[in-house]
Amino acid sequence: MRSELDDTGDMSTKSTRLCDWLDTYMQDIAPLRLTPQVLYDRESVIRLFIKPLLGKKFIDRITTDDVRRLHNAVLSTPRDPKMRGKDIKDIPAGTPMLSASYARNAHNALSAALKAAQREQKLRINVCDLVDRPVAGTALDNALTQDQFKRLTKILRDR
């Protein structure tokens, strides 16, 4: 607390819950910095994952474990919205889950909100900076080779 007083000249007496800060961030800060599409994506990931999982925590009590828990929650969520909310035992093996790109979006949304809190001196450290962002997978190259394409067009022509 002494370092907070030395650093900022002030000492907060009350921490803010993440859900309240996210509301402030999305209403007052994000619209000035983000495009409408990114804003829409942020709102979605905040509503679906960040608030339900971490919203009740105080922003200065969010840990690196919480950030990793967010990553894991996204990565273990079925892509099909009808499958969401089911017990993990009831989800068939091989069910496609949300991608690492989506987990990365969740990480970026939380990090941006915490970075804004840091700028406003409501938070000393952004724990998202201490956790590696999920690595987006590489797209599979399923294109035909030139020889495969020639064979395919020959087969189709001969029909």
Side-chain angles (χ1 to χ4, degrees), residues 21-133:
W21 177 250
L22 289 171
D23 290 342
T24 299
Y25 171 74
M26 290 302 291
Q27 291 168 8
D28 302 334
I29 300 167
L32 303 174
R33 303 178 85 97
L34 303 174
T35 65
Q37 181 60 48
V38 173
L39 195 60
Y40 175 81
D41 292 343
R42 287 267 162 97
E43 186 280 325
S44 175
V45 77
I46 286 170
R47 178 176 38 84
L48 294 173
F49 292 98
I50 299 173
K51 276 188 174 182
L53 193 64
L54 303 174
K56 291 182 181 176
K57 293 195 79 141
F58 290 104
I59 60 173
D60 59 347
R61 300 271 164 73
I62 296 171
T63 66
T64 54
D65 289 338
D66 292 323
V67 176
R68 281 189 282 278
R69 206 161 40 105
L70 173 64
H71 296 173
N72 292 333
V74 172
L75 293 170
S76 62
T77 298
R79 247 187 243 153
D80 183 355
K82 294 178 205 151
M83 298 291 289
R84 296 179 191 171
K86 289 187 175 186
D87 190 284
I88 194 75
K89 292 176 266 176
D90 296 333
I91 298 173
T95 297
M97 300 296 178
L98 291 176
S99 67
S101 294
Y102 201 89
R104 187 180 185 105
N105 289 344
H107 181 101
N108 291 344
L110 178 60
S111 181
L114 295 179
K115 191 170 291 186
Q118 225 179 348
R119 273 194 311 272
E120 296 194 9
Q121 299 181 346
K122 297 182 184 305
L123 184 64
R124 290 183 49 82
I125 189 163
N126 181 348
V127 295
C128 292
D129 292 341
L130 306 175
V131 179
D132 291 333
R133 292 185 315 165

